[in-house]
Amino acid sequence: MSASRLVIALWLASAAAWAGEPDATRQKELIHLVRQDCGSCHGMTLKGGLGPPLLPENLAEKPAEGLAATIYYGRPGTPMPPWKQFMSENEADWIVQKLMTAFPE
Amino acid sequence: MRLFLCFLLALLVNACAAPQLRGTGDLGLIIERAAGRVTLVNTTSRQPYARIDGLGDLSHASAVYSRDGRYAYVFGRDGGLSKIDLLEAKLVKRVIQSGNAIGGSISQDGRIVVAQNYTPGGIKAFDAETLELLSEVPAEYAPGKFSKVVGLADTAGNKFAYALFEGGEIWVSDFSNPRQPTTQRFPAGNQPYDGLVTPDGRYFLTGLFGEDGVAMLDLWQPDKGARKILEKYGRGEEKLPVFKMPHLRGWSVAQGKAYLPAIGRHEVLIVDVATWKEVGRIPVRGQPVFVMARPDGRQVWVNFAFPDNGKIDVIDTLAGQVTHAFEPGKGILHMEFAPRGENVWLSARDDNKVLIYNTENFAKLGEIAVDNPSGIFFTTRAARIGF
């Protein structure tokens, strides 16, 4: 890799980090967490269970920031726990962005 | 001579064509939650013998058995109810009975299969033979308000007990006349999350998420109403976040004591079943999900919610404490004991394996490759009430 290409690669990586996009390995971990562990209540296919469904049509009317805060801090008075010890705020934002479009398998 | 040869040949052909006879007592099934498949297993040979595909969304799926142990009824999350023949290893029938389901139960006489539903809330009764819909009881706890149903369990007299998550009530529906069930309602408490019937069929208990305590109904004396037990447990202490709801089914009674998962605490509660008072707590390494007794009650095995779901703690009920702790695999979701308890099977979801251990010396006996295994259900459940 030439020096200039390395610089560009590093710049792209830092830009991705700045935008809150987790790297590929971490994305895989988060997808697994959402499907399998959030899936305990919201269903593995996210169609809902004891917790509400999390498909794009269910979330369309809701503000993304509020949804990310629900993941990060939980929702007191309901069974929704805070997940902040397992992810960053950026990662919660990324999960919401994916849930609102099409969540990866 | 020619006739004799023909006779011999006929004997041989018959011998080859005759199906191999086997009983159902050593059979069972494993749910493959992501693949929409079940793996049929033999608990004596400890090997799979067939796989059945096409069962839909099997996250949180469970199974009950016909009285003879031949047929399994599998309840899927997507509302699918599938009847599987374990002897012929085939799907007999499948119906989509609701939009979002959470399990089911089978009546004492084995004729009625009842599914419990989240969407729409309520229970539905089916003919166990044909899966024809017989009747339904919508969980309408207030005009126009429907609740998710949790903790459905069969009890004596073809009755089913269950709890309403939003409704905060225990309902008992009598299906003696399966097309016209009658229902009794009892106030229970805030947010019941699961329920169970004691092994003798007498008490229905439902854990409360929204307040401290467990609601209990004496099914032999329902006129006395539901009461709360363990009310003082955890009072004034802040709960830990709950990353997975505990399961009360498969609960444990040993030596007159019941062992229950605490909610929001890293403890197993011990309750004296004569007085229904708390008599102890055992610290464990995470939030308990399943707290299951070996059939003889000598041990109680505990698995945990995320992020401790790779661990297993084994409580010795004589010692009253954890005497064996290990980490058998990733994502241990469920366990099932061999009928008389010498072995236990553990689902390691994220290792794509079911692991088999000797419960006496904890030696690993084998493993089966299974895609994202979750529930494991053996045919011995056919003979138990409350399943």
Side-chain angles (χ1 to χ4, degrees):
Chain A
M1 189 183 280
S2 72
S4 62
R5 287 183 73 182
L6 180 67
V7 168
I8 290 169
L10 284 172
W11 180 80
L12 282 174
S14 66
W18 176 80
E21 180 97 336
D23 68 29
T25 312
R26 184 61 183 151
Q27 286 188 15
K28 241 180 124 181
E29 287 171 9
L30 291 171
I31 292 164
H32 184 271
L33 180 84
V34 171
R35 292 245 171 233
Q36 301 295 339
D37 295 301
C38 305
S40 304
C41 277
H42 297 282
M44 194 176 51
T45 53
L46 307 174
K47 287 180 190 159
L50 199 62
L54 301 178
L55 298 173
E57 61 264 33
N58 310 116
L59 304 178
E61 304 290 301
K62 303 195 162 80
E65 278 172 27
L67 293 171
T70 297
I71 295 174
Y72 195 72
Y73 295 106
R75 189 169 283 181
T78 77
M80 178 67 184
W83 293 84
K84 61 185 176 195
Q85 52 177 304
F86 308 110
M87 66 181 69
S88 68
E89 285 184 60
N90 275 347
E91 288 169 346
D93 287 338
W94 182 82
I95 289 171
V96 169
Q97 181 202 320
K98 290 292 166 193
L99 286 173
M100 293 186 90
T101 48
F103 201 79
E105 285 300 324
Chain B
M1 183 66 193
R2 196 156 40 128
L3 272 179
F4 180 66
L5 277 176
C6 281
F7 171 72
L8 269 185
L9 194 67
L11 269 185
L12 272 173
V13 168
N14 262 336
C16 294
Q20 187 199 344
L21 289 176
R22 66 176 164 203
T24 53
D26 57 0
L27 304 183
L29 66 81
I30 299 166
I31 305 283
E32 300 185 57
R33 69 199 299 266
R37 182 166 59 212
V38 294
T39 289
L40 306 185
V41 294
N42 182 311
T43 59
T44 300
S45 67
R46 303 197 291 264
Q47 291 296 325
Y49 68 92
R51 292 192 154 89
I52 297 171
D53 282 293
L55 302 184
D57 179 357
L58 294 185
S59 60
H60 208 289
S62 64
V64 298
Y65 285 98
S66 60
R67 282 159 58 102
D68 57 7
R70 175 168 179 175
Y71 299 101
Y73 301 90
V74 177
F75 304 90
R77 168 48 65 79
D78 55 4
L81 167 57
S82 307
K83 181 177 179 179
I84 288 163
D85 183 336
L86 268 73
L87 288 182
E88 293 196 353
K90 67 174 191 195
L91 178 65
V92 180
K93 187 153 191 200
R94 176 170 156 78
V95 296
I96 298 293
Q97 58 87 25
S98 81
N100 198 323
I102 188 66
S105 191
I106 187 163
S107 61
Q108 187 179 32
D109 68 3
R111 293 175 194 276
I112 310 163
V113 173
V114 174
Q116 60 177 335
N117 290 314
Y118 280 166
T119 318
I123 61 171
K124 284 188 181 177
F126 298 85
D127 184 306
E129 184 79 33
T130 62
L131 297 191
E132 178 203 355
L133 179 66
L134 297 171
S135 55
E136 70 182 291
V137 182
E140 189 175 9
Y141 62 95
K145 287 185 157 179
F146 293 82
S147 180
K148 298 184 189 84
V149 169
V150 298
L152 177 80
D154 63 296
T155 77
N158 285 357
K159 291 177 183 170
F160 292 81
Y162 49 103
L164 276 61
F165 179 72
E166 290 88 354
E169 294 181 1
I170 294 170
W171 287 17
V172 180
S173 293
D174 183 342
F175 285 85
S176 316
N177 182 354
R179 289 187 186 274
Q180 283 173 317
T182 56
T183 298
Q184 288 176 285
R185 300 170 56 166
F186 306 90
N190 199 2
Q191 293 176 320
Y193 63 87
D194 194 16
L196 61 85
V197 161
T198 51
D200 60 6
R202 177 164 181 181
Y203 298 100
F204 177 76
L205 283 85
T206 179
L208 301 173
F209 184 85
E211 61 183 290
D212 292 319
V214 170
M216 185 178 79
L217 180 70
D218 182 347
L219 297 163
W220 292 2
Q221 308 177 82
D223 46 302
K224 291 191 169 177
R227 66 182 172 104
K228 264 180 221 150
I229 60 168
L230 301 175
E231 254 182 305
K232 295 201 176 76
Y233 174 70
R235 176 86 11 122
E237 294 170 37
E238 196 178 339
K239 277 183 194 169
L240 297 168
V242 176
F243 295 107
K244 183 175 172 139
M245 286 288 182
H247 282 65
L248 299 179
R249 201 64 50 91
W251 85 320
S252 320
V253 176
Q255 305 289 305
K257 310 274 196 303
Y259 293 76
L260 296 168
I263 191 154
R265 287 172 189 93
H266 293 185
E267 290 170 340
V268 168
L269 305 180
I270 312 176
V271 182
D272 184 324
V273 298
T275 60
W276 293 105
K277 295 244 184 321
E278 181 192 331
V279 291
R281 305 178 188 184
I282 298 172
V284 288
R285 292 183 297 162
Q287 300 166 19
V289 173
F290 281 99
V291 176
M292 298 179 84
R294 198 170 73 174
D296 63 357
R298 175 65 198 270
Q299 297 172 343
V300 172
W301 287 55
V302 185
N303 75 336
F304 302 102
F306 178 86
D308 299 306
N309 56 10
K311 300 171 185 167
I312 291 278
D313 282 359
V314 181
I315 293 165
D316 180 312
T317 53
L318 263 189
Q321 61 184 35
V322 174
T323 53
H324 186 70
F326 67 128
E327 295 193 33
K330 286 192 217 146
I332 304 293
L333 285 199
H334 196 238
M335 50 193 148
E336 180 89 331
F337 291 93
R340 287 196 274 179
E342 73 282 13
N343 301 331
V344 66
W345 293 39
L346 307 173
S347 277
R349 179 193 67 197
D350 299 342
D351 283 337
N352 296 305
K353 285 174 186 169
V354 164
L355 310 165
I356 306 167
Y357 286 87
N358 178 316
T359 57
E360 207 50 47
N361 57 19
F362 307 110
K364 189 169 158 189
L365 297 173
E367 59 181 53
I368 295 174
V370 191
D371 189 1
N372 288 155
S374 54
I376 307 173
F377 303 95
F378 295 159
T379 52
T380 37
R381 289 171 177 254
R384 295 182 63 178
I385 202 157
F387 280 78

